[in-house]
C-alpha cells in the first residue's frame, strides 16, 4: 500500500507524463496543445478527445474551452468526441459544465497504478488454455471475436487500431490471446508508452463460460512480466467495478476515479 505522500507523487507523475505530456497512442494520430488543454485527434476509428486540462482552469475559461472543443469536434466531423475527466480536475464542477454543454457521462472507472516490480508474474491457467501474443491479422480477428463475446459490443474500431499498431508501431504494443484449442476465450492489450515509466493495461475481457478460472489474473501476470523485461516501472489501468477488486488484491493502488464524458454528433 502506498503512503499518502507516495500516492500524491505518483498521481502527479501520472498527470505529467501520461496527460500533460501525452504522446499519440497510435499511427496517424496527433496530439494538440493549447494553453488550457491537451487533446488527441485521429480518424473516426481512433480515440479522439481531451486527455488533460490545466489545474488553473477557472469557471470562465472552462466554459470557453468546452465550447471550443465542441466546435472543433463538429468542424472535423467526428461522430463522437470524449473529454476524459479525472476527479481531481478543476474547476470542481467541470463535470456539470460538460453535461450542460451536451456531453454525456459514461460509467466512472477507477485509476489504478502498481509498481511492476511488486506484481506477481507467475502465469497460472486452467487446463486446456494457453496464452500467446497477437502476431498477425488472423490473431487480430481472434482478439476481436473474444472481445465481442466478452463485452457484447461491436469491435470494428478495436480491429482498426490493433492492425495499425502491429503494422506501424509493434514495439510499443502487446496483444494477448487466451486460447482453448482453436477458440479464443479471452484477450487483452498493453500499451507501452514511449519515453514514460508507464505501461497501460486495456481490455481483459473473458467469455462468460470461462470466467472465474483465473484467466484475467493470468493476463495481468503475463503482461507484467513483459513490462518488467522492457524496463517499465508502473502498470496503469482504468478499471471497471468488476476488475477493480481483483487488481487491488494483486497490488494495484487506487489514485482516484476517471469518467468519460462523450459528445456525440446528432445524426
Amino acid at each position: 500500500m502506498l503512503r499518502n505522500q507516495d500516492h500524491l507523487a505518483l498521481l502527479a507523475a501520472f498527470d505529467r507524463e501520461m496527460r500533460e505530456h501525452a504522446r499519440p497512442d497510435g499511427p496517424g494520430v496527433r496530439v494538440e496543445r493549447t494553453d488550457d488543454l491537451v487533446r488527441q485527434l485521429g480518424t473516426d476509428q481512433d480515440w479522439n478527445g481531451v486527455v488533460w486540462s490545466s489545474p488553473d482552469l477557472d469557471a470562465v475559461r472552462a466554459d470557453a474551452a468546452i465550447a471550443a472543443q465542441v466546435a472543433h469536434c463538429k468542424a472535423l466531423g467526428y461522430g463522437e468526441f470524449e473529454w476524459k475527466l479525472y476527479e481531481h480536475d478543476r474547476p470542481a464542477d467541470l463535470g456539470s459544465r460538460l453535461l450542460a454543454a451536451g456531453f454525456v457521462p459514461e460509467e466512472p472507472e477507477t485509476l489504478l497504478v502498481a509498481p511492476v516490480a511488486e506484481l506477481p508474474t507467475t502465469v497460472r491457467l486452467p487446463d486446456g488454455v494457453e496464452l500467446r501474443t497477437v502476431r498477425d491479422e488472423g490473431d487480430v480477428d481472434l482478439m476481436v471475436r473474444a472481445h465481442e463475446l466478452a463485452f457484447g459490443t461491436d469491435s470494428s474500431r478495436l480491429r482498426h487500431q490493433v492492425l495499425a499498431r502491429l503494422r506501424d508501431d509493434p514495439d510499443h504494443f502487446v496483444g494477448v490471446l487466451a486460447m482453448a484449442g482453436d477458440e479464443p476465450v479471452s484477450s487483452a492489450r498493453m500499451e507501452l508508452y514511449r519515453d514514460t515509466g508507464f505501461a497501460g493495461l486495456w481490455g481483459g475481457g473473458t467469455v462468460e463460460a470461462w470466467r472465474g478460472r483465473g484467466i484475467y489474473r493470468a493476463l495481468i501476470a503475463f503482461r507484467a512480466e513483459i513490462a518488467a523485461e522492457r524496463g517499465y516501472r508502473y502498470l496503469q489501468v482504468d478499471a471497471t467495478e468488476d476488475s477493480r477488486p481483483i487488481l487491488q488484491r494483486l497490488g494495484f493502488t487506487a489514485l482516484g476515479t476517471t469518467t468519460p464524458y462523450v459528445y456525440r454528433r446528432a445524426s
Side-chain angles (χ1 to χ4, degrees):
M1 181 65 66
L2 293 174
R3 296 173 299 176
N4 186 55
Q5 58 267 41
D6 294 332
H7 175 119
L8 294 175
L10 188 52
L11 181 58
F14 177 82
D15 275 346
R16 181 177 62 253
E17 294 186 33
M18 297 294 295
R19 300 182 66 205
E20 184 178 5
H21 299 292
R23 285 81 169 165
D25 71 0
V29 174
R30 65 189 184 277
V31 170
E32 297 180 347
R33 292 175 169 83
T34 69
D35 290 340
D36 288 325
L37 300 174
V38 175
R39 65 190 176 212
Q40 176 177 289
L41 302 172
T43 71
D44 229 6
Q45 291 294 308
D46 295 305
W47 184 90
N48 300 293
V50 172
V51 297
W52 176 84
S53 59
S54 169
D56 298 325
L57 201 64
D58 59 23
V60 174
R61 285 162 56 197
D63 286 340
I66 292 169
Q69 301 320 299
V70 170
H72 202 65
C73 168
K74 290 179 177 178
L76 293 174
Y78 290 135
E80 65 179 48
F81 184 87
E82 181 178 318
W83 188 304
K84 194 163 178 59
L85 179 68
Y86 291 77
E87 67 174 314
H88 59 282
D89 287 345
R90 295 292 179 266
D93 64 348
L94 185 53
S96 297
R97 294 174 183 276
L98 288 166
L99 188 63
F103 284 79
V104 177
E106 298 190 340
E107 285 297 314
E109 298 171 320
T110 303
L111 170 62
L112 296 170
V113 175
V116 171
E118 297 178 12
L119 290 173
T121 57
T122 301
V123 175
R124 295 185 175 89
L125 289 162
D127 291 342
V129 176
E130 296 181 348
L131 296 185
R132 72 168 192 245
T133 56
V134 173
R135 299 158 297 190
D136 54 30
E137 187 172 0
D139 286 345
V140 174
D141 288 337
L142 291 171
M143 169 181 268
V144 167
R145 181 178 174 187
H147 194 271
E148 291 183 338
L149 289 171
F151 295 107
T153 57
D154 176 73
S155 298
S156 55
R157 177 180 288 186
L158 172 66
R159 186 178 191 277
H160 163 84
Q161 293 172 352
V162 173
L163 283 173
R165 294 302 299 274
L166 287 179
R167 182 184 65 243
D168 298 328
D169 191 20
D171 291 341
H172 295 93
F173 173 83
V174 176
V176 187
L177 279 167
M179 301 291 297
D182 294 331
E183 287 298 312
V185 297
S186 188
S187 67
R189 315 183 304 282
M190 179 166 64
E191 300 282 347
L192 301 161
Y193 299 111
R194 191 190 308 267
D195 300 324
T196 78
F198 290 89
L201 303 186
W202 301 92
T206 301
V207 175
E208 186 173 4
W210 288 88
R211 292 173 189 165
R213 305 193 197 185
I215 295 176
Y216 183 83
R217 292 176 179 82
L219 290 169
I220 299 293
F222 185 86
R223 289 175 289 173
E225 183 172 22
I226 294 173
E229 290 171 352
R230 300 195 187 183
Y232 285 83
R233 294 182 61 196
Y234 300 106
L235 287 183
Q236 169 261 324
V237 187
D238 292 345
T240 65
E241 277 304 294
D242 290 333
S243 57
R244 178 190 55 76
I246 301 171
L247 291 161
Q248 288 183 304
R249 286 195 293 271
L250 290 174
F252 283 78
T253 295
L255 298 185
T257 60
T258 177
T259 303
Y261 277 78
V262 181
Y263 187 91
R264 292 183 173 89
R265 187 179 60 196
S267 57

